[in-house]
Amino acid sequence: MSAAIGLFPPSRRGVLLMTGVRVFQTRFDHVKHNVEQVIHGKSRTVSLALVCLFAEGHLLIEDVPGLAKTSLAKAIAKSIGGEFNRIQFTPDLLPSDLVGAQIFHRATEDFSFHRGPVFCNVLLGDEINRAAPKTQSALLQVMAERQVTVGLETALVHRPFICLATQNPLDHQGTYPLSEGLLDRFMMRLPMGYPDESAEEKIVKQELADQTPDALKPVLTLAEVREMLAAVREVAVSDELTGYVVRIIRATRDLRRTMRQVVRLGISPRGAIALGLAARVQAASRGQRYVTPDDVKDVAVPVLGHRLLLTGEAEAAGTDPEELVAEVLRDVAVTRPR
């Protein structure tokens, strides 16, 4: 474990904060354990999904069918006692099918806003790349601002709110690639991956016994989740640590100059913010009251990999942007060069 950068001296506020962080860690572990009752052999994936939730980010899961992507979303929603909505994205899906619409009532000669399925705590967008770009873009506002504007009316989406979207990387027929703007709204992109043999046996036994995510009991209330969202903001991020995050992001932009045939676009400041937020939740989940470089490194690849845009030649050659991010992490010094 790296030494903490900019560790603050002990204080009364620090003692109170440590108590709050310990509560955060305990609750985080309770949710993780509950989810893992139905999601077997994917401890890191579950942890990172919860980091997204408590960092108030969004998650894109890209993998082949049948690997429990939907079950993960349901299990998270059940564990926090939240409202869960699932949208099956199809080419004929309309923006109003997501966010809602203004309905005219002839009796009153007035309009009223009927809310769409995005008004929930955990939104599963299944096969998001099967909807047309116009429909995909309906998610941009709610993912960034947690509110929806239809006509002249703006309605807030209650916290916590996470959009967990899935897409199949193999089947490209009838799909629409996500725009750079929409990809950038996702805090992380994760694969599920195949389970190992032991975990797969547990999955089969569980399904044969009708033990599904719907059977899970909540281990937190939404009020307790909101307390955790507030507590994580108190985890200290020093100026030195912020500088480390910024140097990582700026190094991805230098790749455009040093690797002209590979990188088309580096990572924006939104990526730097997402990395800092995710690292702060990662620190809180470990019971720390400050963020260390190790926390940043642990979340950097899933936070940054999908934001690094490659050239067409690099994509055709099978270049992995996550490997490029890992290379940047190896090259960027933790302390500022003198």
Side-chain angles (χ1 to χ4, degrees):
M1 179 71 71
S2 301
I5 292 182
L7 179 60
F8 297 100
S11 65
R12 174 63 178 166
R13 180 176 179 274
V15 173
L16 294 173
L17 177 57
M18 180 59 76
T19 302
V21 170
R22 293 299 186 198
V23 171
F24 182 99
Q25 180 187 26
T26 299
R27 290 177 176 175
F28 186 98
D29 289 344
H30 284 168
V31 176
K32 183 172 183 289
H33 175 73
N34 204 50
V35 172
E36 287 180 336
Q37 291 187 59
V38 293
I39 306 296
H40 299 286
K42 297 297 172 185
S43 180
R44 176 165 168 80
T45 300
V46 172
S47 291
L48 289 173
L50 295 179
V51 166
C52 264
L53 170 68
F54 293 113
E56 299 195 84
H58 307 289
L59 177 62
L60 178 63
I61 299 182
E62 186 177 82
D63 220 320
V64 298
L67 296 182
K69 300 185 291 293
T70 300
S71 295
L72 175 61
K74 284 185 176 181
I76 291 174
K78 282 287 186 179
S79 297
I80 63 173
E83 182 180 354
F84 172 78
N85 283 335
R86 178 182 182 274
I87 303 172
Q88 182 63 52
F89 280 72
T90 56
D92 60 347
L93 195 71
L94 299 175
S96 58
D97 295 327
L98 299 178
V99 300
Q102 293 277 9
I103 305 297
F104 180 73
H105 299 276
R106 186 179 299 275
T108 60
E109 296 187 348
D110 197 7
F111 287 90
S112 65
F113 179 51
H114 284 235
R115 299 187 173 196
V118 298
F119 289 89
C120 64
N121 300 117
V122 179
L123 175 69
L124 173 63
D126 207 4
E127 296 188 301
I128 188 174
N129 55 333
R130 291 202 177 278
K134 181 179 180 180
T135 302
Q136 293 177 9
S137 65
L139 291 172
L140 290 173
Q141 183 187 16
V142 70
M143 291 176 69
E145 304 171 21
R146 288 175 181 79
Q147 63 182 22
V148 169
T149 301
V150 175
L152 299 177
E153 183 165 348
T154 298
L156 297 177
V157 175
H158 295 302
R159 300 165 67 208
F161 171 69
I162 180 173
C163 175
L164 195 157
T166 72
Q167 61 177 0
N168 181 353
L170 300 179
D171 185 2
H172 297 293
Q173 186 173 359
T175 61
Y176 303 84
L178 303 188
S179 68
E180 288 86 350
L182 184 54
L183 271 176
D184 206 35
R185 295 296 198 279
F186 288 99
M187 176 170 277
M188 294 185 189
R189 180 179 65 183
L190 294 173
M192 285 295 289
Y194 287 105
D196 59 29
E197 184 175 353
S198 174
E200 195 158 5
E201 287 180 2
K202 291 179 182 178
I203 292 168
V204 174
K205 289 178 182 178
Q206 177 178 281
E207 286 297 321
L208 293 176
D210 290 329
Q211 297 172 350
T212 66
D214 293 325
L216 289 178
K217 302 296 183 184
V219 295
L220 293 181
T221 65
L222 290 178
E224 289 172 329
V225 173
R226 286 189 281 269
E227 289 174 2
M228 295 175 70
L229 298 181
V232 77
R233 295 196 196 101
E234 299 299 320
V235 175
V237 183
S238 68
D239 291 343
E240 292 87 347
L241 197 287
T242 302
Y244 176 54
V245 168
V246 170
R247 288 197 300 278
I248 291 172
I249 300 304
R250 295 182 70 83
T252 68
R253 298 174 200 161
D254 289 341
L255 292 176
R256 184 179 179 184
R257 174 174 50 83
T258 59
M259 306 179 73
R260 292 181 181 274
Q261 303 303 314
V262 176
V263 178
R264 178 161 53 96
L265 193 64
I267 296 168
S268 71
R270 182 183 286 140
I273 294 169
L275 181 56
L277 292 173
R280 192 163 61 177
V281 175
Q282 181 78 339
S285 72
R286 294 168 167 169
Q288 300 167 192
R289 63 186 180 93
Y290 50 81
V291 182
T292 71
D294 284 339
D295 299 317
V296 174
K297 293 175 182 177
D298 284 346
V299 299
V301 171
V303 170
L304 303 181
H306 63 290
R307 303 172 195 270
L308 193 61
L309 301 183
L310 305 183
T311 62
E313 294 86 347
E315 290 180 350
T319 303
D320 187 349
E322 295 184 347
E323 291 181 1
L324 296 179
V325 173
E327 182 179 323
V328 166
L329 291 175
R330 290 191 294 269
D331 293 342
V332 175
V334 171
T335 56
R336 189 182 302 276
R338 296 185 180 278

